[in-house]
Amino acid sequence: QLQLVESGGGLVQPGGSLRLSCGADHFTLGYYGMAWFRQTPGKEREGVSSISASGGRTTYADSVKGRFTISRDNAKNMLYLQMISLKPEDTGVYYCAASRLSTVGLLGTEYDFWGLGTQVTVSS
């Protein structure tokens, strides 16, 4: 079973930056399309950004375009989400997800494996 592990969350002031990371042991993430999702209490899970297995295709939710950048390093077996100009509404638990599909979007149903999440809190 593919187990994804996120890291890099924390408390940051509005306007600040964070970089989230996601990795997995004993599985080659380069075979999987991957994405970041987030969830805030009382709201539905939201797809934030996705990236194809090769890294050549990315998608972003309108709410994060221009502020977040998804990337992957298949040689290091890692997925990243660089977040800048953070806003209080970016607060939530961020989840890494992997899909058996190589090209993916922002629908949760496309993904087969999920991490446990990392908390991001944007507050002054």
Side-chain angles (χ1 to χ4, degrees):
Q1 179 76 5
L2 173 56
Q3 290 188 316
L4 300 167
V5 179
E6 303 94 338
S7 62
L11 173 63
V12 62
Q13 292 187 343
S17 301
L18 281 175
R19 189 176 84 151
L20 306 183
S21 300
C22 173
D25 290 333
H26 313 302
F27 282 88
T28 302
L29 293 182
Y31 295 139
Y32 298 88
M34 299 193 71
W36 291 95
F37 288 78
R38 67 186 179 191
Q39 188 161 24
T40 301
K43 293 185 178 180
E44 292 189 359
R45 182 179 59 196
E46 173 190 22
V48 174
S49 183
S50 68
I51 188 167
S52 62
S54 68
R57 180 174 174 173
T58 58
T59 60
Y60 294 92
D62 287 343
S63 58
V64 306
K65 280 181 181 176
R67 300 187 299 119
F68 290 11
T69 303
I70 192 171
S71 63
R72 65 191 303 160
D73 186 336
N74 287 341
K76 294 183 178 179
N77 216 37
M78 294 293 293
L79 174 74
Y80 304 103
L81 185 69
Q82 179 68 52
M83 306 184 292
I84 66 171
S85 302
L86 283 161
K87 305 175 181 179
E89 51 263 44
D90 294 317
T91 294
V93 178
Y94 283 69
Y95 298 91
C96 169
S99 171
R100 292 186 177 97
L101 302 173
S102 59
T103 302
V104 286
L106 297 179
L107 293 176
T109 52
E110 296 179 90
Y111 294 86
D112 304 291
F113 306 102
W114 296 82
L116 296 179
T118 185
Q119 176 71 45
V120 171
T121 303
V122 185
S123 175
S124 55

